[in-house]
Short mmCIF file of all heavy atoms in Angstrom, two decimals:
data_model
loop_
_atom_site.label_atom_id
_atom_site.label_comp_id
_atom_site.label_asym_id
_atom_site.label_seq_id
_atom_site.Cartn_x
_atom_site.Cartn_y
_atom_site.Cartn_z
N ALA A 320 7.21 33.41 22.06
CA ALA A 320 7.49 32.09 22.57
C ALA A 320 7.05 31.04 21.47
O ALA A 320 7.74 29.97 21.30
CB ALA A 320 6.57 31.77 23.80
N PHE A 321 6.03 31.35 20.71
CA PHE A 321 5.52 30.43 19.71
C PHE A 321 6.59 30.29 18.61
O PHE A 321 6.89 29.16 18.28
CB PHE A 321 4.18 30.81 19.18
CG PHE A 321 3.77 30.11 17.90
CD1 PHE A 321 3.20 28.76 18.00
CD2 PHE A 321 3.82 30.63 16.59
CE1 PHE A 321 2.93 28.06 16.86
CE2 PHE A 321 3.55 30.01 15.50
CZ PHE A 321 2.99 28.66 15.70
N TRP A 322 6.98 31.45 18.03
CA TRP A 322 7.83 31.30 16.96
C TRP A 322 9.26 30.79 17.30
O TRP A 322 9.92 30.13 16.45
CB TRP A 322 7.97 32.65 16.17
CG TRP A 322 6.77 33.07 15.45
CD1 TRP A 322 5.81 33.95 15.78
CD2 TRP A 322 6.28 32.38 14.23
NE1 TRP A 322 4.77 34.06 14.80
CE2 TRP A 322 5.10 33.06 13.91
CE3 TRP A 322 6.74 31.37 13.44
CZ2 TRP A 322 4.33 32.72 12.74
CZ3 TRP A 322 6.07 31.07 12.24
CH2 TRP A 322 4.97 31.62 12.01
N GLU A 323 9.80 31.20 18.45
CA GLU A 323 11.08 30.67 18.84
C GLU A 323 11.07 29.16 19.15
O GLU A 323 12.12 28.53 19.01
CB GLU A 323 11.57 31.46 20.15
CG GLU A 323 11.90 32.92 19.79
CD GLU A 323 12.62 33.62 20.94
OE1 GLU A 323 12.62 33.04 22.09
OE2 GLU A 323 12.92 34.76 20.80
N ARG A 324 9.88 28.67 19.49
CA ARG A 324 9.82 27.23 19.68
C ARG A 324 9.16 26.40 18.56
O ARG A 324 9.12 25.16 18.62
CB ARG A 324 9.02 26.99 20.99
CG ARG A 324 9.65 27.42 22.26
CD ARG A 324 10.70 26.56 22.68
NE ARG A 324 11.60 27.03 23.81
CZ ARG A 324 12.25 26.34 24.61
NH1 ARG A 324 12.23 25.07 24.47
NH2 ARG A 324 12.91 27.01 25.63
N LYS A 325 8.95 27.14 17.50
CA LYS A 325 8.34 26.40 16.34
C LYS A 325 9.00 25.23 15.77
O LYS A 325 8.59 24.31 15.41
CB LYS A 325 8.02 27.50 15.33
CG LYS A 325 6.71 27.24 14.48
CD LYS A 325 6.90 26.28 13.33
CE LYS A 325 7.76 26.69 12.24
NZ LYS A 325 7.84 25.72 11.12
N ALA A 326 10.40 25.39 15.69
CA ALA A 326 11.28 24.35 15.19
C ALA A 326 11.09 23.09 16.15
O ALA A 326 11.08 22.00 15.62
CB ALA A 326 12.67 24.80 14.99
N ASP A 327 11.09 23.31 17.35
CA ASP A 327 11.00 22.31 18.42
C ASP A 327 9.47 21.56 18.24
O ASP A 327 9.42 20.35 18.27
CB ASP A 327 11.17 22.76 19.79
CG ASP A 327 12.56 23.26 19.95
OD1 ASP A 327 13.47 22.81 19.38
OD2 ASP A 327 12.71 24.12 20.80
N LEU A 328 8.48 22.36 17.97
CA LEU A 328 7.20 21.89 17.77
C LEU A 328 7.16 20.98 16.59
O LEU A 328 6.57 19.90 16.59
CB LEU A 328 6.26 22.98 17.70
CG LEU A 328 5.82 23.75 18.90
CD1 LEU A 328 5.08 25.17 18.58
CD2 LEU A 328 4.99 23.01 19.83
N ALA A 329 7.76 21.57 15.47
CA ALA A 329 7.74 20.65 14.30
C ALA A 329 8.55 19.34 14.35
O ALA A 329 8.19 18.37 13.74
CB ALA A 329 8.29 21.61 13.05
N ALA A 330 9.70 19.36 15.18
CA ALA A 330 10.38 18.21 15.38
C ALA A 330 9.49 17.11 16.13
O ALA A 330 9.68 15.93 16.00
CB ALA A 330 11.64 18.44 16.16
N ALA A 331 8.76 17.74 16.88
CA ALA A 331 7.81 16.63 17.83
C ALA A 331 6.55 16.27 17.02
O ALA A 331 6.16 15.07 17.18
CB ALA A 331 7.53 17.25 19.08
N SER A 332 5.96 17.18 16.21
CA SER A 332 4.76 16.94 15.55
C SER A 332 4.86 17.54 14.07
O SER A 332 4.98 18.74 14.13
CB SER A 332 3.50 17.51 16.32
OG SER A 332 3.34 16.91 17.61
N ALA A 333 4.66 16.55 13.14
CA ALA A 333 5.00 17.20 11.78
C ALA A 333 4.09 18.30 11.31
O ALA A 333 4.42 18.94 10.40
CB ALA A 333 4.92 15.96 10.79
N TRP A 334 2.82 18.30 11.91
CA TRP A 334 1.86 19.33 11.40
C TRP A 334 2.33 20.65 11.55
O TRP A 334 1.90 21.68 10.93
CB TRP A 334 0.50 19.11 12.00
CG TRP A 334 0.55 19.05 13.46
CD1 TRP A 334 1.04 19.73 14.43
CD2 TRP A 334 -0.28 18.04 14.16
NE1 TRP A 334 0.71 19.45 15.74
CE2 TRP A 334 -0.11 18.34 15.62
CE3 TRP A 334 -1.10 16.85 13.90
CZ2 TRP A 334 -0.69 17.56 16.65
CZ3 TRP A 334 -1.66 16.21 14.82
CH2 TRP A 334 -1.41 16.47 16.25
N TRP A 335 3.29 21.05 12.43
CA TRP A 335 3.84 22.29 12.55
C TRP A 335 4.86 22.69 11.37
O TRP A 335 5.17 23.87 11.34
CB TRP A 335 4.57 22.48 13.91
CG TRP A 335 3.70 22.31 15.14
CD1 TRP A 335 3.60 21.34 16.02
CD2 TRP A 335 2.73 23.33 15.49
NE1 TRP A 335 2.50 21.65 16.96
CE2 TRP A 335 2.02 22.77 16.60
CE3 TRP A 335 2.27 24.54 15.02
CZ2 TRP A 335 1.00 23.54 17.27
CZ3 TRP A 335 1.20 25.24 15.60
CH2 TRP A 335 0.51 24.73 16.74
N GLY A 336 5.33 21.63 10.69
CA GLY A 336 6.30 21.94 9.59
C GLY A 336 5.77 22.87 8.50
O GLY A 336 6.53 23.58 7.88
N GLY A 337 4.37 22.82 8.35
CA GLY A 337 3.82 23.82 7.28
C GLY A 337 3.54 25.27 7.77
O GLY A 337 3.15 26.12 6.97
N VAL A 338 3.79 25.50 9.01
CA VAL A 338 3.64 26.73 9.57
C VAL A 338 4.92 27.68 9.28
O VAL A 338 5.89 27.47 9.94
CB VAL A 338 3.30 26.88 10.93
CG1 VAL A 338 2.84 28.32 11.59
CG2 VAL A 338 1.91 25.92 11.10
N ASP A 339 4.78 28.71 8.54
CA ASP A 339 5.96 29.73 8.33
C ASP A 339 5.30 31.04 8.06
O ASP A 339 4.20 31.36 8.09
CB ASP A 339 6.79 29.14 7.19
CG ASP A 339 6.04 28.87 5.89
OD1 ASP A 339 5.01 29.58 5.65
OD2 ASP A 339 6.48 28.08 5.05
N SER A 340 6.31 31.89 7.67
CA SER A 340 6.02 33.27 7.47
C SER A 340 5.11 33.46 6.24
O SER A 340 4.26 34.50 6.23
CB SER A 340 7.23 34.09 7.16
OG SER A 340 7.95 33.59 5.98
N ASP A 341 4.98 32.61 5.33
CA ASP A 341 4.01 32.56 4.29
C ASP A 341 2.60 32.70 4.67
O ASP A 341 1.75 33.30 4.18
CB ASP A 341 4.14 31.46 3.24
CG ASP A 341 5.45 31.56 2.47
OD1 ASP A 341 6.07 32.74 2.48
OD2 ASP A 341 5.87 30.56 1.89
N LEU A 342 2.20 32.08 5.81
CA LEU A 342 0.89 31.98 6.34
C LEU A 342 0.45 33.36 6.91
O LEU A 342 -0.77 33.63 7.25
CB LEU A 342 0.74 30.97 7.35
CG LEU A 342 0.84 29.45 6.95
CD1 LEU A 342 0.53 28.41 7.94
CD2 LEU A 342 -0.10 29.23 5.64
N MET A 343 1.31 34.31 7.14
CA MET A 343 0.98 35.58 7.71
C MET A 343 0.10 36.23 6.87
O MET A 343 -0.79 37.12 7.23
CB MET A 343 2.37 36.35 7.95
CG MET A 343 3.27 35.84 9.18
SD MET A 343 2.37 35.84 10.83
CE MET A 343 2.24 37.69 10.95
N ALA A 344 0.28 35.97 5.57
CA ALA A 344 -0.58 36.63 4.49
C ALA A 344 -2.18 36.34 4.69
O ALA A 344 -3.14 36.97 4.12
CB ALA A 344 -0.17 36.29 3.04
N ASN A 345 -2.39 35.08 5.33
CA ASN A 345 -3.75 34.63 5.46
C ASN A 345 -4.48 35.38 6.67
O ASN A 345 -5.72 35.18 6.91
CB ASN A 345 -3.78 33.25 5.78
CG ASN A 345 -3.29 32.42 4.55
OD1 ASN A 345 -3.48 32.80 3.57
ND2 ASN A 345 -2.76 31.19 4.96
N ILE A 346 -3.72 36.17 7.46
CA ILE A 346 -4.38 36.91 8.44
C ILE A 346 -4.98 38.25 7.94
O ILE A 346 -4.36 39.09 7.59
CB ILE A 346 -3.26 37.30 9.61
CG1 ILE A 346 -2.77 36.11 10.26
CG2 ILE A 346 -4.10 38.15 10.79
CD1 ILE A 346 -1.59 36.35 11.27
N ALA A 347 -6.32 38.19 7.79
CA ALA A 347 -6.96 39.19 7.09
C ALA A 347 -7.30 40.44 7.98
O ALA A 347 -7.36 41.53 7.57
CB ALA A 347 -8.30 38.73 6.48
N GLY A 348 -7.43 40.28 9.33
CA GLY A 348 -7.60 41.35 10.19
C GLY A 348 -6.42 41.94 10.83
O GLY A 348 -5.40 41.67 10.44
N LYS A 349 -6.73 42.63 11.98
CA LYS A 349 -5.65 43.32 12.74
C LYS A 349 -4.91 42.25 13.53
O LYS A 349 -5.49 41.50 14.24
CB LYS A 349 -6.31 44.39 13.47
CG LYS A 349 -6.89 45.57 12.71
CD LYS A 349 -7.18 46.72 13.54
CE LYS A 349 -7.87 47.88 12.65
NZ LYS A 349 -6.86 48.54 11.82
N ILE A 350 -3.58 42.57 13.65
CA ILE A 350 -2.72 41.92 14.48
C ILE A 350 -2.58 42.68 15.76
O ILE A 350 -2.57 43.85 15.77
CB ILE A 350 -1.35 41.58 13.77
CG1 ILE A 350 -1.56 40.77 12.74
CG2 ILE A 350 -0.17 41.20 14.75
CD1 ILE A 350 -0.42 40.47 11.76
N HIS A 351 -2.42 41.91 16.95
CA HIS A 351 -2.34 42.66 18.19
C HIS A 351 -1.05 43.39 18.29
O HIS A 351 -0.03 43.04 17.72
CB HIS A 351 -2.21 41.55 19.37
CG HIS A 351 -2.44 42.25 20.71
ND1 HIS A 351 -1.56 42.93 21.17
CD2 HIS A 351 -3.48 42.11 21.57
CE1 HIS A 351 -1.91 43.26 22.59
NE2 HIS A 351 -3.12 42.74 22.69
N PRO A 352 -1.05 44.71 18.77
CA PRO A 352 0.16 45.63 18.78
C PRO A 352 1.29 44.97 19.45
O PRO A 352 2.55 45.03 18.93
CB PRO A 352 -0.33 46.73 19.61
CG PRO A 352 -1.78 46.86 19.50
CD PRO A 352 -2.14 45.42 19.26
N GLY A 353 1.14 44.06 20.45
CA GLY A 353 2.22 43.37 21.13
C GLY A 353 2.87 42.41 20.21
O GLY A 353 4.04 42.23 20.13
N ALA A 354 1.98 41.58 19.38
CA ALA A 354 2.56 40.65 18.38
C ALA A 354 3.26 41.45 17.36
O ALA A 354 4.21 40.97 16.86
CB ALA A 354 1.39 39.72 17.95
N ALA A 355 2.65 42.53 16.93
CA ALA A 355 3.17 43.36 15.78
C ALA A 355 4.65 43.78 16.14
O ALA A 355 5.50 43.85 15.30
CB ALA A 355 2.32 44.52 15.46
N ARG A 356 4.89 44.18 17.47
CA ARG A 356 6.16 44.51 17.85
C ARG A 356 7.14 43.38 17.72
O ARG A 356 8.26 43.64 17.16
CB ARG A 356 6.08 44.87 19.41
CG ARG A 356 7.36 45.56 19.88
CD ARG A 356 7.72 45.27 21.32
NE ARG A 356 6.61 45.47 22.24
CZ ARG A 356 6.52 45.02 23.34
NH1 ARG A 356 7.61 44.45 24.00
NH2 ARG A 356 5.51 45.19 24.22
N TYR A 357 6.81 42.08 18.01
CA TYR A 357 7.69 40.98 17.63
C TYR A 357 8.04 40.93 16.22
O TYR A 357 9.08 40.79 15.81
CB TYR A 357 7.13 39.77 18.27
CG TYR A 357 7.94 38.56 17.97
CD1 TYR A 357 9.05 38.33 18.53
CD2 TYR A 357 7.51 37.54 16.90
CE1 TYR A 357 9.97 37.20 18.33
CE2 TYR A 357 8.38 36.56 16.60
CZ TYR A 357 9.48 36.34 17.24
OH TYR A 357 10.38 35.28 16.98
N TYR A 358 7.01 40.93 15.49
CA TYR A 358 7.17 40.80 13.93
C TYR A 358 8.12 41.86 13.33
O TYR A 358 8.92 41.70 12.38
CB TYR A 358 5.81 40.75 13.20
CG TYR A 358 5.01 39.56 13.54
CD1 TYR A 358 3.59 39.68 13.96
CD2 TYR A 358 5.54 38.27 13.48
CE1 TYR A 358 2.93 38.53 14.27
CE2 TYR A 358 4.93 37.16 13.66
CZ TYR A 358 3.58 37.23 14.18
OH TYR A 358 2.83 36.19 14.51
N LYS A 359 7.98 43.08 14.00
CA LYS A 359 8.83 44.18 13.43
C LYS A 359 10.29 43.94 13.79
O LYS A 359 11.14 44.17 13.09
CB LYS A 359 8.29 45.47 14.03
CG LYS A 359 7.04 46.03 13.36
CD LYS A 359 6.61 47.30 14.06
CE LYS A 359 5.34 47.87 13.43
NZ LYS A 359 4.96 49.23 14.26
N GLU A 360 10.40 43.30 15.06
CA GLU A 360 11.82 43.03 15.61
C GLU A 360 12.52 42.06 14.64
O GLU A 360 13.69 42.12 14.44
CB GLU A 360 11.63 42.50 17.04
CG GLU A 360 11.44 43.53 17.98
CD GLU A 360 11.50 43.01 19.49
OE1 GLU A 360 11.73 41.72 19.58
OE2 GLU A 360 11.22 43.74 20.36
N ILE A 361 11.71 41.07 14.24
CA ILE A 361 12.49 40.00 13.40
C ILE A 361 12.37 40.38 11.85
O ILE A 361 12.84 39.55 11.02
CB ILE A 361 11.80 38.66 13.57
CG1 ILE A 361 10.28 38.64 13.34
CG2 ILE A 361 12.02 38.26 15.09
CD1 ILE A 361 9.66 37.18 13.37
N GLY A 362 11.71 41.59 11.48
CA GLY A 362 11.75 42.04 10.13
C GLY A 362 10.79 41.51 9.18
O GLY A 362 11.01 41.51 8.02
N TRP A 363 9.66 41.03 9.78
CA TRP A 363 8.51 40.55 8.90
C TRP A 363 7.66 41.76 8.65
O TRP A 363 7.09 42.39 9.55
CB TRP A 363 7.85 39.41 9.63
CG TRP A 363 8.58 38.20 9.64
CD1 TRP A 363 9.95 37.89 9.31
CD2 TRP A 363 8.04 36.87 10.17
NE1 TRP A 363 10.20 36.67 9.50
CE2 TRP A 363 9.08 35.97 10.04
CE3 TRP A 363 6.77 36.48 10.68
CZ2 TRP A 363 8.92 34.66 10.32
CZ3 TRP A 363 6.59 35.09 11.09
CH2 TRP A 363 7.60 34.19 10.89
N ALA A 364 7.47 41.92 7.30
CA ALA A 364 6.58 43.02 7.03
C ALA A 364 5.10 42.68 7.13
O ALA A 364 4.60 41.53 6.90
CB ALA A 364 6.82 43.40 5.49
#
């Protein structure tokens, strides 16, 4: 829901414009398996 609506969020509030796949590298710990399933579906390593 977050990523599919991210463009709409950015259109309403500019601070969402800087959130993209590059920020995934800043996640130092483990990602929830359910979230990881979504990232695998969209091809994010």
Side-chain angles (χ1 to χ4, degrees):
F321 171 75
W322 287 109
E323 289 187 356
R324 292 286 171 157
K325 212 278 295 183
D327 295 332
L328 287 168
S332 296
W334 49 51
W335 293 109
V338 178
D339 56 26
S340 59
D341 289 345
L342 293 188
M343 293 295 295
N345 293 331
I346 300 176
K349 293 185 179 297
I350 292 175
H351 195 290
R356 188 209 315 168
Y357 174 75
Y358 293 126
K359 288 178 183 177
E360 283 182 3
I361 62 174
W363 288 7

